[in-house]
Amino acid sequence: MKKQLLRCLLVLAMSLPVAMAVTGDFDGDLQTDLVYWRPWEGKWYVFSNVDPAGIVQPLGQGGDIPVPGDYDADGKTDFAVFRPSDSTWNIILSSDGSPKTEALGTGGDIPVPGDYDGDHKTDIARWRPSDGTWRYVSSINAAVKTQVFGGPGDVPVPGDYDEDGKTDFAYWRPSDGTWHILSSLSKTVRVTQWGFSGDIPVPGDYDRDGKIDMAVWRPDNGFWYVINSLDFTVRAHQWGIPGDIPVPGDYDGDLISDFAVWRPSDGNWYIISSMDYATVRIQTWGYGSDIPANTKLVKP
């Protein structure tokens, strides 16, 4: 069950609302929080920089998939889960604490929430591996939009790769390591080879240019490989060991994605600050059976 959950947890669509500069920011301090979801309890645990007591929020049950996002455009990440058994999205809006339930998807679909319509709210969305169909519900007018892009074996990696404020449809193909990005701005498709089979895609804004960069983490050597969209230079940085789970995010509030991993074997988060790539933060939060839930990752 955990393997299935981790497979469905992919990089959170990072076309972030203007009000929310940081993904995984549950307390509104403009920094990614350390968060895990405990399936057997159905509870979320947030290590908050604002509240020393932390935040504990009941939501979900075994078999659910965490789908955090800013669904109400208040600048905070909302607790949310997708339930494959009945195709429902269950969300707690941070603006007023009210619950919200919507239906979209079915068993076998991969949830891919993001701001596809550019209204600064996270839209519920799913990608169907069997036929490569993306479908999302616009938070502007509740219209359902569909796009065919990708197919069996591909890994969805949606994000704002063209800096137009909208999430782009995108997938990574493990068989040949190619990234396929459908720009919401130009409506053109860009194909770039980056990574190999066995890598884990970890897109993020690693150069602070407002665009999502193509990046992979290689489990066998712990290296992060990034193509900077600012100048197309390539970076490689070793951070992590086999068995870790990559959890990139802006943990220091500088608007740059930090290299970070969560280690199930000891429950520690290992984060290296992008401010100097020397300052290291190690924090115990969670343990082996928990699911890191501040970003969404997929293991191909």
Side-chain angles (χ1 to χ4, degrees), residues 111-169:
V112 285
D115 183 9
Y116 294 89
D117 54 18
D119 69 344
H120 312 318
K121 293 182 180 180
T122 299
D123 304 310
I124 65 170
R126 61 81 171 158
W127 182 72
R128 185 159 293 168
S130 61
D131 60 11
T133 301
W134 300 69
R135 178 167 292 182
Y136 73 91
V137 179
S138 172
S139 52
I140 295 177
N141 55 15
V144 177
K145 307 290 186 178
T146 302
Q147 175 69 53
V148 178
F149 196 56
D154 294 336
V155 178
V157 286
D160 187 4
Y161 294 87
D162 53 17
E163 201 186 3
D164 69 344
K166 296 180 180 180
T167 297
D168 303 311
F169 302 113

Side-chain angles (χ1 to χ4, degrees), residues 40-76:
W40 58 272
E41 283 186 339
K43 291 182 179 179
W44 298 63
Y45 293 84
V46 180
F47 189 96
S48 171
N49 295 318
V50 174
D51 185 352
I55 301 171
V56 180
Q57 176 65 59
L59 180 67
Q61 62 186 35
D64 289 351
I65 298 170
V67 286
D70 188 0
Y71 295 90
D72 51 12
D74 70 342
K76 294 182 181 180

Side-chain angles (χ1 to χ4, degrees), residues 63-221:
D64 289 351
I65 298 170
V67 286
D70 188 0
Y71 295 90
D72 51 12
D74 70 342
K76 294 182 181 180
T77 299
D78 304 313
F79 300 101
V81 296
F82 169 66
R83 186 160 296 160
S85 61
D86 61 9
S87 305
T88 58
W89 294 64
N90 299 281
I91 304 165
I92 296 179
L93 300 177
S94 55
S95 55
D96 59 10
S98 64
K100 177 182 180 180
T101 301
E102 294 191 54
L104 181 72
T106 188
D109 288 348
I110 295 177
V112 285
D115 183 9
Y116 294 89
D117 54 18
D119 69 344
H120 312 318
K121 293 182 180 180
T122 299
D123 304 310
I124 65 170
R126 61 81 171 158
W127 182 72
R128 185 159 293 168
S130 61
D131 60 11
T133 301
W134 300 69
R135 178 167 292 182
Y136 73 91
V137 179
S138 172
S139 52
I140 295 177
N141 55 15
V144 177
K145 307 290 186 178
T146 302
Q147 175 69 53
V148 178
F149 196 56
D154 294 336
V155 178
V157 286
D160 187 4
Y161 294 87
D162 53 17
E163 201 186 3
D164 69 344
K166 296 180 180 180
T167 297
D168 303 311
F169 302 113
Y171 64 87
W172 181 68
R173 183 161 288 167
S175 60
D176 60 11
T178 54
W179 294 66
H180 301 250
I181 301 167
L182 176 57
S183 171
S184 56
L185 181 63
S186 65
K187 311 304 180 185
T188 59
V189 175
R190 174 160 56 111
V191 180
T192 305
Q193 199 286 324
W194 192 245
F196 300 100
S197 179
D199 290 346
I200 297 176
V202 284
D205 186 2
Y206 295 92
D207 54 13
R208 199 182 180 181
D209 67 346
K211 298 179 181 179
I212 296 301
D213 305 312
M214 295 176 286
V216 297
W217 183 70
R218 193 155 294 161
D220 60 358
N221 63 10

